[in-house]
Amino acid sequence: MKANTGDRLRFLGHHVGTPDRYGRVLKVIGPDGDPPYVVEFDDGHQAEVYPGSDCELEHAGAEKR
């Protein structure tokens, strides 16, 4: 996964009824867009994350379908 500042991440819920979590990349710490990232989630908290296979990336400015 290669992210840039401003990209959105979607962390899929792990259990039935658990909502997905969304966040915006504030800072890319790894080289060349690699993790880890500092992410601000929609609820306002910030965390350093290493996204796994349960995460989807939406590049900033990407056209939504």
Side-chain angles (χ1 to χ4, degrees):
M1 175 177 290
K2 303 279 187 185
N4 296 302
T5 301
D7 289 349
R8 298 261 308 155
L9 296 175
R10 175 183 177 200
F11 295 86
L12 304 176
H14 287 251
H15 304 287
V16 173
T18 302
D20 296 344
R21 293 180 9 192
Y22 295 86
R24 184 173 56 90
V25 177
L26 297 178
K27 181 179 180 183
V28 177
I29 298 172
D32 300 320
D34 290 328
Y37 310 122
V38 176
V39 174
E40 180 176 27
F41 291 90
D42 287 348
D43 65 2
H45 87 274
Q46 295 181 10
E48 184 176 307
V49 298
Y50 290 82
S53 61
D54 62 343
C55 183
E56 298 174 353
L57 174 66
E58 180 183 296
H59 292 287
E63 185 176 317
K64 291 186 179 185
R65 298 179 186 196

